Amino acid sequence: EAQVTQNPRYLITVTGKKLTVTCSQNMNHEYMSWYRQDPGLGLRQIYYSMNVEVTDKGDVPEGYKVSRKEKRNFPLILESPSPNQTSLYFCAVKGLSSTDTQYFGPGTRLTVL
Amino acid sequence: DAKTTQPNSMESNEEEPVHLPCNHSTISGTDYIHWYRQLPSQGPEYVIHGLTSNVNNRMASLAIAEDRKSSTLILHRATLRDAAVYYCILPNNAGNMLTFGGGTRLMVKP
């Protein structure tokens, strides 16, 4: 069964305390990405990766870092979180074809105080 | 990248058909039209996609206008479980789905 796993699912932290949200997949797909979802703004892409060691900025990359050292994992790093990064975060996975289905993780609800 | 326009919300009665419209007037010839939906408290999930011809699957049908500038997602018999936000998306040439936009919030009344 196609699976995208995110951890943690919920996190409350304080401003400036570095954190990492992990994402892993069991589908051997090349493409992975991170979105954030805020009320009234829909889903906005933060970063994406089309293969190992290949990452690129999405629409809203400021304040975030990513890495893709292995095909199955794509962690999202907030080096110095701020309250405006309080949001619901989704990891997504798909193949490289424009017809491939995109699979989403269950989401991580982050609150930065 | 081509953009899509959808109504903010729609209402339907249970067990009636629902037609969810999407305008994509700047679509290019190679853009596939994808539909996803997001149930409450879940990540988005795939519904259907198509290029030129109408498409059917177990979840829905997709009707694509002849000029491809619009499409309609058809739920043949809406159920309460179909209440969700429906997104119409055109991936760019790299297959990279950038922005989902606001989508259409479908409310289904019993």
Side-chain angles (χ1 to χ4, degrees):
Chain A
E1 182 194 340
Q3 210 163 30
V4 181
T5 306
Q6 290 180 232
N7 281 296
R9 295 288 315 281
Y10 302 91
L11 179 60
I12 300 174
T13 190
V14 296
T15 298
K17 186 176 180 183
K18 180 179 179 180
L19 67 93
T20 300
V21 184
T22 64
C23 174
S24 66
Q25 54 139 331
N26 66 353
M27 291 167 273
N28 202 38
H29 281 333
E30 294 84 357
Y31 180 87
M32 298 183 75
S33 64
W34 278 101
Y35 291 85
R36 62 178 287 173
Q37 186 170 35
D38 303 290
L41 295 175
L43 281 150
R44 296 178 293 167
Q45 193 179 55
I46 303 170
Y47 268 96
Y48 65 95
S49 167
M50 299 185 81
N51 216 326
V52 176
E53 302 292 359
V54 179
T55 63
D56 213 339
K57 297 177 181 178
D59 284 340
V60 288
E62 295 77 21
Y64 303 94
K65 282 176 57 177
V66 291
S67 71
R68 188 89 181 274
K69 293 186 169 51
E70 309 164 278
K71 198 171 187 180
R72 63 178 288 125
N73 296 321
F74 190 46
L76 179 70
I77 303 154
L78 285 72
E79 295 267 5
S80 183
S82 62
N84 65 12
Q85 293 177 298
T86 293
S87 188
L88 179 58
Y89 292 86
F90 290 102
C91 179
V93 175
K94 68 186 289 289
L96 290 179
S97 167
S98 58
T99 60
D100 283 333
T101 298
Q102 184 152 258
Y103 297 92
F104 284 81
T108 295
R109 186 165 293 282
L110 172 65
T111 301
V112 183
L113 302 174
Chain B
D1 295 325
K3 291 200 168 189
T4 63
T5 305
Q6 300 176 254
N8 289 336
S9 63
M10 292 184 65
E11 255 188 25
S12 170
N13 293 318
E14 198 176 10
E15 307 216 350
E16 289 186 357
V18 182
H19 291 232
L20 298 164
C22 180
N23 287 322
H24 28 77
S25 57
T26 59
I27 192 170
S28 74
T30 57
D31 284 341
Y32 277 81
I33 302 153
H34 289 245
W35 284 80
Y36 282 70
R37 73 178 186 181
Q38 187 172 18
L39 302 170
S41 302
Q42 294 187 27
E45 62 177 2
Y46 169 80
V47 178
I48 201 167
H49 75 275
L51 183 62
T52 55
S53 308
N54 295 345
V55 183
N56 301 296
N57 67 19
R58 62 174 180 81
M59 288 181 75
S61 296
L62 177 59
I64 301 171
E66 200 169 326
D67 63 6
R68 301 206 334 118
K69 294 183 184 230
S70 66
S71 60
T72 302
L73 181 71
I74 302 165
L75 307 179
H76 295 286
R77 286 179 69 231
T79 69
L80 297 178
R81 292 182 60 212
D82 291 322
V85 179
Y86 288 79
Y87 299 96
C88 168
I89 306 152
L90 305 180
N92 65 18
N93 288 338
N96 179 12
M97 296 187 183
L98 285 175
T99 306
F100 274 54
T104 297
R105 181 173 297 279
L106 175 66
M107 292 165 280
V108 180
K109 296 183 291 185

